[in-house]
Amino acid sequence: MTLVKRLIMTFLLFLLSVFIGCSGGSSTLNGTLVGNGVVAGRATVTNGGSDYSNIVITLDPEADSGQVLAAAERYERAARRSPSFKANLQKKMASASATSTLQANTNTDGNFTISKVPSGTYLVKAYKPKYVQNATPNVDVKPDQVSTVNVALESPGTLTGKVILQGESNSGGVICYLTNQNFVLSNDSGKFTFDSLQPGTYEITVKEYGFETYKQVVLIEKNKTKDLGEIVLEKIASQSIFGAIAGEVRSQNLSPLSSVEVTVKELPQFTTVTNSVGNYLFENLPAGKYTLRFEYLYWMQEVENVYVQSKHNTQIDPTYFDLTKPELGIIDGKIFPAAPSMVSIQKTGVEITSKILNNGTFYFPIEPGTYDLVIISAGFVTNTSVKGLIVEVGKTSKADITLSPAPGKLMGTIVDGTGAPVPNVQVDASGNKVFSGSAGTFLFENMPPGTYSFTFSKTGYQINKLPGTQVLISGENKDLGRIVLNKMPRNSVIATLNPDYTPGKVTVSNSLLYVLDQSHDLIHLYDKNTLEEMGTIATGKNPQHILVDDNYIYVANKWANTVSIFRKDTGVLFKDVEVGVYPVFLTKVDNQLLVTNFGSNTVCTISLSNYQVTDSMACSNGPVRVEKISGKIYVLCQLSQILEVYAADTHAKLAQVPVGLEASDMVKTDSYLVIVDSGSDNLINVALSNDSLYNTLSYGGTPVAGVLAGSTVYISASGNGFLYEISPTSLTMSDSINLGAGIEQLYYEDSTGNIYVSDPTLRKVFLVNSR
């Protein structure tokens, strides 16, 4: 079964579960169930003897198993390579309604009873060592009623293999998933294992961004391990990865056959018909191995192992049909309206074949027998309207289907803590986004039936994620009621990270927060929204500073005298660049990195075109910061207690400004450089118009670092734990926040207005709202 078919079938099963789950019990907005019932039944073990005692039966709230897999695919492989990644993600994605578990143990005959079960729909799970449940039914619990359900266990199978990413030294963190959306991640050597699999047929998919996707149908047997061996994923070098297939179809007397339907089984969206001379052509097919399916009136055949190479037209031998005698019957019909749909031909509940349609017309050459038709179409009610359709050799059985449209609506009202409406709030319903209006109301129209998770966000407000999920039934207009979004005070702590190490410099990307761990030579990666750790990256010795752009992570390693460059998507080391002695600071200007080397008193330039040092400029003692502004290079030399100004092209010294006893940081604004002098507790600004001292102001608490946030500057004071908001011109303080103890390093994220404050004394990283 193809991936598209499986997704659509999953959608069908989901709709059925929705109809079952909505038949009993009421629920509040947050998913709390009311009313109690009883669940009773029997559990058995296939080939496990006659003693069915001590099988653990649990009732878990019904959940969408695909949510965790979908979430995992959004993270970079650098995060997925962590051994604890999947467990952390499962914990994060766990429904708020799944905080407790109802369970019981079976007696010798396998009977069990679970009392005082809140009304609602549950998944019934059975556990016994060395066995696996052969199906996971759900049970609908109603108040003051007994609901019965039976389960069975059998011996499991195992699937294993090894992923090799072409050109990569580490193949860890690659997503491997099965038809049932169960997934594992490969370890650093590429090995993966699925334990405790129910016997049966699965399709395994192994995928990683930038590489060819691997798919394979496998049969899992009881008590056996299926080893797929080495799976090599070839790197996609460019977009030119497509090829073509050409061929012809003829009858037994060599006459060309027109109107023969030809389909690529693995990619059913690739379908065509032969022309008047029996020829067909598929263009822009991804490179790979395929099976072609040929259908013509009462005949059908398949051609396997058709290989497509990139930039190559594959010519295959003619396909012949013997038309002297009908072999099959035909199921022929139309779907009204002609919406994109899947037609599944089934016998006793088992799919025989299926097709994805765009024009609403279908026909199936098929062996004689009695069949059912199942039609699935997004935005319409699932329609199993044709049952017991009889097919005979050489005859056509008609089956026209009319779909019933079933879009729904999701709506609600957003208010603040006082009950006032909040406009312009972004409402995210599982990737679908709208904004609230002036009255705080929002509306999603024409939403297909399904399960949706909701997140409400607006700058300056606390993010509100509704617990659990909301189920939308076909044709339902669902009102979520009033959602409260609390406003965050300006210059207040939004969240706090509590690592078990001393945090250093921090930076962020779209999804991750990066924190340096100098003591252990690591970068720790956290989910930026939840602050849950997703993995680590090993750096050079004593990492001092970190930068992240669209493709790479750059780290200055003080004791290694290098700048390490890691691939952002995988976390794999791309290159170590040797610079001067004790590099402590990096800044990116155009397509270059400027690096201050504290030990060798130089500022070197790394070209990001060839990742080599292309220039080195001598300066005074102890350079700790550097900026390149309007053809000039400004170097803050801590040991010499001066700010030096050089011509960027000739390195000629243009100016020299005294900046105090122990200058530790420098903040660039539109008109000034604000210097932090931790040695004499002063702030100094230097006018960029004439490169001269403009103002000096004394602050207590030992200021050590600064950052520009919008039009103001924030200064951290390690001595008293205050974060000061100051004017870059007058240096006067306009506001402050007491974070406690020894706050130091700062990072500002413009998209959110958040300031990340690293506190090595308390071992914390604070998120402060600056807007």
Side-chain angles (χ1 to χ4, degrees), residues 270-317:
F270 286 86
T271 298
T272 187
V273 294
T274 56
N275 59 20
S276 59
V277 292
N279 294 329
Y280 62 90
L281 173 66
F282 291 106
E283 296 180 294
N284 297 320
L285 270 172
K289 181 177 72 172
Y290 301 100
T291 296
L292 298 184
R293 182 184 179 95
F294 298 82
E295 296 180 354
Y296 180 69
L297 299 177
Y298 306 108
W299 294 267
M300 185 276 294
Q301 60 178 287
E302 294 182 349
V303 176
E304 300 179 339
N305 299 324
V306 179
Y307 289 87
V308 174
Q309 301 178 32
S310 61
K311 302 180 181 179
H312 182 75
N313 188 348
T314 301
Q315 300 284 339
I316 69 172
D317 294 333

CSV table of all heavy atoms in Angstrom, one decimal, residues 270-317:
chain,number,residue,atom,x,y,z
A,270,PHE,N,1.1,9.5,-10.5
A,270,PHE,CA,1.7,9.4,-11.9
A,270,PHE,C,0.8,8.4,-12.6
A,270,PHE,O,1.1,7.2,-12.5
A,270,PHE,CB,3.2,9.0,-11.9
A,270,PHE,CG,4.1,10.2,-11.5
A,270,PHE,CD1,4.3,10.4,-10.1
A,270,PHE,CD2,4.7,11.0,-12.4
A,270,PHE,CE1,5.2,11.4,-9.7
A,270,PHE,CE2,5.5,12.0,-12.0
A,270,PHE,CZ,5.7,12.2,-10.7
A,271,THR,N,-0.2,8.9,-13.4
A,271,THR,CA,-1.0,8.0,-14.2
A,271,THR,C,-1.2,8.6,-15.6
A,271,THR,O,-1.4,9.8,-15.7
A,271,THR,CB,-2.4,7.8,-13.5
A,271,THR,OG1,-2.2,7.2,-12.2
A,271,THR,CG2,-3.3,7.0,-14.3
A,272,THR,N,-1.2,7.8,-16.6
A,272,THR,CA,-1.4,8.3,-17.9
A,272,THR,C,-2.1,7.2,-18.7
A,272,THR,O,-2.4,6.1,-18.2
A,272,THR,CB,0.0,8.7,-18.6
A,272,THR,OG1,-0.3,9.3,-19.9
A,272,THR,CG2,0.8,7.4,-18.8
A,273,VAL,N,-2.4,7.5,-20.0
A,273,VAL,CA,-3.0,6.5,-20.9
A,273,VAL,C,-2.2,6.5,-22.2
A,273,VAL,O,-1.6,7.5,-22.6
A,273,VAL,CB,-4.5,6.8,-21.2
A,273,VAL,CG1,-5.3,6.7,-20.0
A,273,VAL,CG2,-4.7,8.2,-21.8
A,274,THR,N,-2.2,5.4,-22.9
A,274,THR,CA,-1.5,5.3,-24.1
A,274,THR,C,-2.2,6.1,-25.2
A,274,THR,O,-3.4,6.2,-25.2
A,274,THR,CB,-1.3,3.8,-24.6
A,274,THR,OG1,-2.6,3.2,-24.7
A,274,THR,CG2,-0.5,3.0,-23.6
A,275,ASN,N,-1.4,6.6,-26.2
A,275,ASN,CA,-1.9,7.4,-27.3
A,275,ASN,C,-2.4,6.5,-28.4
A,275,ASN,O,-2.4,5.2,-28.3
A,275,ASN,CB,-0.9,8.4,-27.8
A,275,ASN,CG,0.4,7.8,-28.3
A,275,ASN,OD1,0.4,6.6,-28.6
A,275,ASN,ND2,1.4,8.6,-28.3
A,276,SER,N,-2.7,7.1,-29.5
A,276,SER,CA,-3.3,6.3,-30.7
A,276,SER,C,-2.3,5.3,-31.2
A,276,SER,O,-2.8,4.3,-31.9
A,276,SER,CB,-3.7,7.3,-31.8
A,276,SER,OG,-2.6,8.0,-32.2
A,277,VAL,N,-1.0,5.4,-31.0
A,277,VAL,CA,-0.1,4.4,-31.5
A,277,VAL,C,0.5,3.5,-30.3
A,277,VAL,O,1.5,2.9,-30.5
A,277,VAL,CB,1.1,5.0,-32.2
A,277,VAL,CG1,0.6,5.7,-33.5
A,277,VAL,CG2,1.8,6.1,-31.4
A,278,GLY,N,-0.2,3.6,-29.2
A,278,GLY,CA,0.1,2.7,-28.1
A,278,GLY,C,1.3,3.2,-27.2
A,278,GLY,O,1.7,2.4,-26.3
A,279,ASN,N,1.8,4.4,-27.4
A,279,ASN,CA,2.9,4.9,-26.6
A,279,ASN,C,2.5,5.6,-25.4
A,279,ASN,O,1.4,6.2,-25.3
A,279,ASN,CB,3.8,5.8,-27.5
A,279,ASN,CG,4.4,5.1,-28.7
A,279,ASN,OD1,4.7,3.9,-28.6
A,279,ASN,ND2,4.6,5.8,-29.8
A,280,TYR,N,3.3,5.6,-24.3
A,280,TYR,CA,3.1,6.4,-23.1
A,280,TYR,C,4.5,6.9,-22.6
A,280,TYR,O,5.5,6.4,-23.0
A,280,TYR,CB,2.5,5.5,-22.0
A,280,TYR,CG,3.3,4.3,-21.6
A,280,TYR,CD1,4.3,4.5,-20.5
A,280,TYR,CD2,3.2,3.1,-22.2
A,280,TYR,CE1,5.1,3.4,-20.2
A,280,TYR,CE2,4.0,2.0,-21.9
A,280,TYR,CZ,4.9,2.2,-20.8
A,280,TYR,OH,5.7,1.1,-20.4
A,281,LEU,N,4.4,8.0,-21.8
A,281,LEU,CA,5.6,8.6,-21.3
A,281,LEU,C,5.3,9.2,-19.9
A,281,LEU,O,4.3,9.9,-19.7
A,281,LEU,CB,6.0,9.8,-22.2
A,281,LEU,CG,7.2,10.7,-21.8
A,281,LEU,CD1,8.5,9.9,-21.7
A,281,LEU,CD2,7.3,11.9,-22.7
A,282,PHE,N,6.2,8.9,-19.0
A,282,PHE,CA,6.2,9.6,-17.6
A,282,PHE,C,7.4,10.5,-17.6
A,282,PHE,O,8.6,10.0,-17.7
A,282,PHE,CB,6.2,8.6,-16.5
A,282,PHE,CG,5.0,7.8,-16.4
A,282,PHE,CD1,4.9,6.4,-16.8
A,282,PHE,CD2,3.8,8.4,-15.8
A,282,PHE,CE1,3.8,5.7,-16.6
A,282,PHE,CE2,2.7,7.6,-15.7
A,282,PHE,CZ,2.6,6.3,-16.1
A,283,GLU,N,7.2,11.8,-17.3
A,283,GLU,CA,8.4,12.7,-17.1
A,283,GLU,C,8.4,13.1,-15.7
A,283,GLU,O,7.5,13.0,-14.9
A,283,GLU,CB,8.2,13.9,-18.0
A,283,GLU,CG,8.2,13.6,-19.5
A,283,GLU,CD,8.1,14.8,-20.4
A,283,GLU,OE1,7.0,15.4,-20.3
A,283,GLU,OE2,9.1,15.2,-21.1
A,284,ASN,N,9.6,13.6,-15.3
A,284,ASN,CA,9.9,14.2,-14.0
A,284,ASN,C,9.5,13.2,-12.8
A,284,ASN,O,9.0,13.5,-11.8
A,284,ASN,CB,9.0,15.5,-13.8
A,284,ASN,CG,9.4,16.6,-14.7
A,284,ASN,OD1,10.6,16.7,-15.0
A,284,ASN,ND2,8.5,17.3,-15.3
A,285,LEU,N,9.9,12.0,-13.1
A,285,LEU,CA,9.8,11.0,-12.0
A,285,LEU,C,11.1,11.0,-11.2
A,285,LEU,O,12.2,11.0,-11.7
A,285,LEU,CB,9.7,9.5,-12.6
A,285,LEU,CG,8.3,9.0,-12.9
A,285,LEU,CD1,8.4,7.7,-13.7
A,285,LEU,CD2,7.5,8.8,-11.6
A,286,PRO,N,11.0,11.0,-9.8
A,286,PRO,CA,12.2,10.9,-9.0
A,286,PRO,C,12.9,9.6,-9.3
A,286,PRO,O,12.3,8.6,-9.6
A,286,PRO,CB,11.6,10.9,-7.5
A,286,PRO,CG,10.2,11.5,-7.7
A,286,PRO,CD,9.7,11.1,-9.0
A,287,ALA,N,14.2,9.7,-9.2
A,287,ALA,CA,15.0,8.5,-9.5
A,287,ALA,C,14.7,7.4,-8.5
A,287,ALA,O,14.4,7.7,-7.3
A,287,ALA,CB,16.5,8.9,-9.3
A,288,GLY,N,14.6,6.2,-8.9
A,288,GLY,CA,14.3,5.1,-8.1
A,288,GLY,C,13.8,3.9,-8.8
A,288,GLY,O,13.9,3.8,-10.1
A,289,LYS,N,13.3,2.9,-8.1
A,289,LYS,CA,12.8,1.6,-8.7
A,289,LYS,C,11.3,1.6,-8.6
A,289,LYS,O,10.8,1.8,-7.5
A,289,LYS,CB,13.5,0.4,-8.0
A,289,LYS,CG,13.0,-0.9,-8.6
A,289,LYS,CD,13.7,-2.1,-7.9
A,289,LYS,CE,13.2,-2.3,-6.5
A,289,LYS,NZ,13.8,-3.5,-5.9
A,290,TYR,N,10.6,1.2,-9.7
A,290,TYR,CA,9.2,1.2,-9.7
A,290,TYR,C,8.6,0.0,-10.3
A,290,TYR,O,9.2,-0.8,-11.0
A,290,TYR,CB,8.7,2.5,-10.4
A,290,TYR,CG,9.2,3.8,-9.9
A,290,TYR,CD1,10.2,4.4,-10.5
A,290,TYR,CD2,8.6,4.3,-8.8
A,290,TYR,CE1,10.7,5.6,-10.0
A,290,TYR,CE2,9.0,5.5,-8.3
A,290,TYR,CZ,10.1,6.2,-8.8
A,290,TYR,OH,10.5,7.4,-8.3
A,291,THR,N,7.2,-0.2,-10.0
A,291,THR,CA,6.4,-1.2,-10.7
A,291,THR,C,5.3,-0.4,-11.5
A,291,THR,O,4.6,0.4,-10.9
A,291,THR,CB,5.7,-2.1,-9.7
A,291,THR,OG1,6.8,-2.8,-9.0
A,291,THR,CG2,4.8,-3.1,-10.4
A,292,LEU,N,5.2,-0.8,-12.8
A,292,LEU,CA,4.2,-0.2,-13.6
A,292,LEU,C,3.0,-1.1,-13.7
A,292,LEU,O,3.1,-2.3,-13.9
A,292,LEU,CB,4.7,0.1,-15.0
A,292,LEU,CG,5.9,1.1,-15.1
A,292,LEU,CD1,6.2,1.3,-16.6
A,292,LEU,CD2,5.5,2.4,-14.5
A,293,ARG,N,1.8,-0.6,-13.5
A,293,ARG,CA,0.5,-1.3,-13.6
A,293,ARG,C,-0.2,-0.9,-14.9
A,293,ARG,O,-0.5,0.3,-15.1
A,293,ARG,CB,-0.3,-1.1,-12.4
A,293,ARG,CG,-1.6,-1.8,-12.3
A,293,ARG,CD,-2.5,-1.4,-11.1
A,293,ARG,NE,-3.7,-2.1,-11.0
A,293,ARG,CZ,-3.9,-3.2,-10.3
A,293,ARG,NH1,-2.9,-3.7,-9.6
A,293,ARG,NH2,-5.1,-3.8,-10.3
A,294,PHE,N,-0.6,-1.9,-15.8
A,294,PHE,CA,-1.3,-1.7,-17.0
A,294,PHE,C,-2.7,-2.2,-16.9
A,294,PHE,O,-2.9,-3.4,-16.6
A,294,PHE,CB,-0.6,-2.3,-18.2
A,294,PHE,CG,0.8,-1.8,-18.4
A,294,PHE,CD1,1.9,-2.3,-17.6
A,294,PHE,CD2,1.1,-0.9,-19.4
A,294,PHE,CE1,3.2,-1.9,-17.8
A,294,PHE,CE2,2.4,-0.4,-19.6
A,294,PHE,CZ,3.4,-0.9,-18.8
A,295,GLU,N,-3.7,-1.4,-17.2
A,295,GLU,CA,-5.1,-1.8,-17.1
A,295,GLU,C,-5.8,-1.5,-18.4
A,295,GLU,O,-5.7,-0.3,-18.9
A,295,GLU,CB,-5.8,-1.1,-15.9
A,295,GLU,CG,-5.3,-1.5,-14.6
A,295,GLU,CD,-6.0,-0.8,-13.5
A,295,GLU,OE1,-6.8,0.1,-13.7
A,295,GLU,OE2,-5.7,-1.1,-12.3
A,296,TYR,N,-6.5,-2.5,-19.0
A,296,TYR,CA,-7.2,-2.3,-20.3
A,296,TYR,C,-8.4,-3.2,-20.3
A,296,TYR,O,-8.2,-4.5,-20.4
A,296,TYR,CB,-6.2,-2.6,-21.5
A,296,TYR,CG,-6.9,-2.4,-22.8
A,296,TYR,CD1,-7.2,-1.1,-23.3
A,296,TYR,CD2,-7.1,-3.5,-23.7
A,296,TYR,CE1,-7.8,-0.9,-24.5
A,296,TYR,CE2,-7.7,-3.3,-24.9
A,296,TYR,CZ,-8.0,-2.0,-25.3
A,296,TYR,OH,-8.6,-1.8,-26.5
A,297,LEU,N,-9.5,-2.6,-20.3
A,297,LEU,CA,-10.8,-3.4,-20.3
A,297,LEU,C,-10.7,-4.6,-19.4
A,297,LEU,O,-10.6,-4.4,-18.2
A,297,LEU,CB,-11.1,-3.8,-21.8
A,297,LEU,CG,-11.3,-2.6,-22.8
A,297,LEU,CD1,-11.5,-3.2,-24.2
A,297,LEU,CD2,-12.4,-1.7,-22.3
A,298,TYR,N,-10.8,-5.8,-19.9
A,298,TYR,CA,-10.8,-7.0,-19.0
A,298,TYR,C,-9.5,-7.7,-18.8
A,298,TYR,O,-9.4,-8.9,-18.6
A,298,TYR,CB,-11.8,-8.0,-19.6
A,298,TYR,CG,-13.2,-7.4,-19.9
A,298,TYR,CD1,-13.6,-7.1,-21.2
A,298,TYR,CD2,-14.0,-7.1,-18.8
A,298,TYR,CE1,-14.9,-6.6,-21.4
A,298,TYR,CE2,-15.3,-6.5,-19.0
A,298,TYR,CZ,-15.7,-6.2,-20.3
A,298,TYR,OH,-16.9,-5.7,-20.6
A,299,TRP,N,-8.4,-6.8,-18.9
A,299,TRP,CA,-7.1,-7.4,-18.8
A,299,TRP,C,-6.3,-6.4,-17.9
A,299,TRP,O,-6.5,-5.2,-17.8
A,299,TRP,CB,-6.4,-7.5,-20.1
A,299,TRP,CG,-7.0,-8.5,-21.0
A,299,TRP,CD1,-6.7,-9.9,-21.1
A,299,TRP,CD2,-8.1,-8.3,-21.9
A,299,TRP,NE1,-7.5,-10.5,-22.0
A,299,TRP,CE2,-8.4,-9.6,-22.5
A,299,TRP,CE3,-8.9,-7.2,-22.2
A,299,TRP,CZ2,-9.4,-9.7,-23.5
A,299,TRP,CZ3,-9.9,-7.4,-23.2
A,299,TRP,CH2,-10.1,-8.6,-23.8
A,300,MET,N,-5.3,-7.0,-17.1
A,300,MET,CA,-4.4,-6.2,-16.3
A,300,MET,C,-3.1,-7.0,-16.1
A,300,MET,O,-3.1,-8.2,-16.0
A,300,MET,CB,-5.1,-6.0,-14.9
A,300,MET,CG,-4.3,-5.1,-14.0
A,300,MET,SD,-2.9,-6.0,-13.0
A,300,MET,CE,-3.9,-7.0,-12.0
A,301,GLN,N,-2.0,-6.3,-16.1
A,301,GLN,CA,-0.7,-6.9,-15.8
A,301,GLN,C,0.2,-5.9,-15.2
A,301,GLN,O,0.0,-4.6,-15.4
A,301,GLN,CB,-0.1,-7.6,-17.0
A,301,GLN,CG,0.2,-6.7,-18.2
A,301,GLN,CD,0.8,-7.5,-19.3
A,301,GLN,OE1,2.0,-7.9,-19.2
A,301,GLN,NE2,0.1,-7.7,-20.4
A,302,GLU,N,1.3,-6.3,-14.6
A,302,GLU,CA,2.3,-5.4,-14.0
A,302,GLU,C,3.7,-5.7,-14.5
A,302,GLU,O,4.0,-6.9,-14.8
A,302,GLU,CB,2.2,-5.6,-12.4
A,302,GLU,CG,0.9,-5.1,-11.8
A,302,GLU,CD,0.9,-5.1,-10.3
A,302,GLU,OE1,1.8,-5.8,-9.7
A,302,GLU,OE2,0.0,-4.6,-9.7
A,303,VAL,N,4.5,-4.7,-14.5
A,303,VAL,CA,5.9,-4.9,-14.9
A,303,VAL,C,6.7,-4.3,-13.7
A,303,VAL,O,6.6,-3.1,-13.4
A,303,VAL,CB,6.3,-4.1,-16.2
A,303,VAL,CG1,7.8,-4.2,-16.5
A,303,VAL,CG2,5.5,-4.6,-17.4
A,304,GLU,N,7.5,-5.2,-13.1
A,304,GLU,CA,8.3,-4.8,-11.9
A,304,GLU,C,9.7,-4.4,-12.3
A,304,GLU,O,10.2,-4.6,-13.4
A,304,GLU,CB,8.3,-6.0,-10.9
A,304,GLU,CG,7.0,-6.4,-10.5
A,304,GLU,CD,7.0,-7.6,-9.5
A,304,GLU,OE1,8.0,-8.3,-9.5
A,304,GLU,OE2,6.1,-7.8,-8.8
A,305,ASN,N,10.4,-3.8,-11.3
A,305,ASN,CA,11.8,-3.5,-11.3
A,305,ASN,C,12.2,-2.6,-12.5
A,305,ASN,O,13.1,-2.8,-13.3
A,305,ASN,CB,12.7,-4.8,-11.4
A,305,ASN,CG,12.5,-5.6,-10.2
A,305,ASN,OD1,12.3,-5.1,-9.1
A,305,ASN,ND2,12.5,-6.9,-10.4
A,306,VAL,N,11.4,-1.5,-12.7
A,306,VAL,CA,11.7,-0.5,-13.7
A,306,VAL,C,12.5,0.6,-13.0
A,306,VAL,O,12.0,1.2,-12.1
A,306,VAL,CB,10.4,0.1,-14.3
A,306,VAL,CG1,10.7,1.2,-15.3
A,306,VAL,CG2,9.5,-1.0,-14.9
A,307,TYR,N,13.7,0.8,-13.4
A,307,TYR,CA,14.6,1.7,-12.8
A,307,TYR,C,14.7,3.0,-13.5
A,307,TYR,O,14.8,3.1,-14.8
A,307,TYR,CB,16.1,1.1,-12.7
A,307,TYR,CG,16.2,0.0,-11.8
A,307,TYR,CD1,15.9,-1.3,-12.2
A,307,TYR,CD2,16.6,0.2,-10.5
A,307,TYR,CE1,16.0,-2.4,-11.3
A,307,TYR,CE2,16.7,-0.9,-9.6
A,307,TYR,CZ,16.4,-2.2,-10.0
A,307,TYR,OH,16.6,-3.2,-9.1
A,308,VAL,N,14.6,4.1,-12.7
A,308,VAL,CA,14.7,5.5,-13.3
A,308,VAL,C,16.0,6.1,-12.8
A,308,VAL,O,16.2,6.1,-11.6
A,308,VAL,CB,13.5,6.3,-12.9
A,308,VAL,CG1,13.6,7.8,-13.3
A,308,VAL,CG2,12.2,5.7,-13.5
A,309,GLN,N,16.8,6.6,-13.7
A,309,GLN,CA,18.0,7.3,-13.3
A,309,GLN,C,17.8,8.8,-13.6
A,309,GLN,O,17.0,9.2,-14.5
A,309,GLN,CB,19.2,6.8,-14.2
A,309,GLN,CG,19.5,5.4,-14.0
A,309,GLN,CD,20.6,4.9,-14.9
A,309,GLN,OE1,21.5,5.7,-15.2
A,309,GLN,NE2,20.6,3.7,-15.4
A,310,SER,N,18.4,9.6,-12.8
A,310,SER,CA,18.3,11.1,-12.9
A,310,SER,C,18.8,11.5,-14.3
A,310,SER,O,19.8,11.0,-14.8
A,310,SER,CB,19.1,11.8,-11.8
A,310,SER,OG,20.5,11.5,-11.9
A,311,LYS,N,18.1,12.5,-14.9
A,311,LYS,CA,18.5,13.0,-16.2
A,311,LYS,C,18.5,11.9,-17.3
A,311,LYS,O,19.3,12.1,-18.2
A,311,LYS,CB,19.8,13.8,-16.1
A,311,LYS,CG,19.8,14.9,-15.1
A,311,LYS,CD,21.1,15.6,-15.1
A,311,LYS,CE,21.2,16.8,-14.1
A,311,LYS,NZ,22.5,17.4,-14.1
A,312,HIS,N,17.7,10.9,-17.1
A,312,HIS,CA,17.8,9.8,-18.1
A,312,HIS,C,16.4,9.3,-18.4
A,312,HIS,O,15.5,9.2,-17.6
A,312,HIS,CB,18.6,8.6,-17.5
A,312,HIS,CG,18.8,7.5,-18.4
A,312,HIS,ND1,19.7,7.5,-19.5
A,312,HIS,CD2,18.2,6.3,-18.5
A,312,HIS,CE1,19.6,6.3,-20.1
A,312,HIS,NE2,18.7,5.6,-19.5
A,313,ASN,N,16.2,9.0,-19.7
A,313,ASN,CA,14.9,8.5,-20.2
A,313,ASN,C,15.0,7.0,-20.3
A,313,ASN,O,15.8,6.4,-21.1
A,313,ASN,CB,14.6,9.1,-21.5
A,313,ASN,CG,13.1,8.7,-22.0
A,313,ASN,OD1,12.5,7.8,-21.4
A,313,ASN,ND2,12.6,9.4,-23.0
A,314,THR,N,14.3,6.2,-19.4
A,314,THR,CA,14.4,4.8,-19.4
A,314,THR,C,13.4,4.2,-20.4
A,314,THR,O,12.2,4.4,-20.3
A,314,THR,CB,14.0,4.2,-18.0
A,314,THR,OG1,15.0,4.8,-17.1
A,314,THR,CG2,14.1,2.7,-18.0
A,315,GLN,N,13.9,3.5,-21.4
A,315,GLN,CA,13.0,2.8,-22.4
A,315,GLN,C,12.8,1.4,-22.0
A,315,GLN,O,13.8,0.6,-21.8
A,315,GLN,CB,13.7,2.9,-23.8
A,315,GLN,CG,14.0,4.3,-24.3
A,315,GLN,CD,12.7,4.9,-24.8
A,315,GLN,OE1,11.7,4.3,-25.2
A,315,GLN,NE2,12.8,6.3,-24.9
A,316,ILE,N,11.5,1.0,-21.8
A,316,ILE,CA,11.3,-0.4,-21.4
A,316,ILE,C,10.7,-1.2,-22.6
A,316,ILE,O,10.1,-0.6,-23.6
A,316,ILE,CB,10.4,-0.5,-20.2
A,316,ILE,CG1,8.9,-0.1,-20.6
A,316,ILE,CG2,10.9,0.3,-19.1
A,316,ILE,CD1,8.0,-0.3,-19.4
A,317,ASP,N,10.8,-2.5,-22.6
A,317,ASP,CA,10.3,-3.4,-23.7
A,317,ASP,C,8.8,-3.2,-23.8
A,317,ASP,O,8.1,-2.9,-22.8
A,317,ASP,CB,10.7,-4.8,-23.4
A,317,ASP,CG,12.2,-5.1,-23.4
A,317,ASP,OD1,12.9,-4.3,-24.1
A,317,ASP,OD2,12.6,-6.0,-22.7
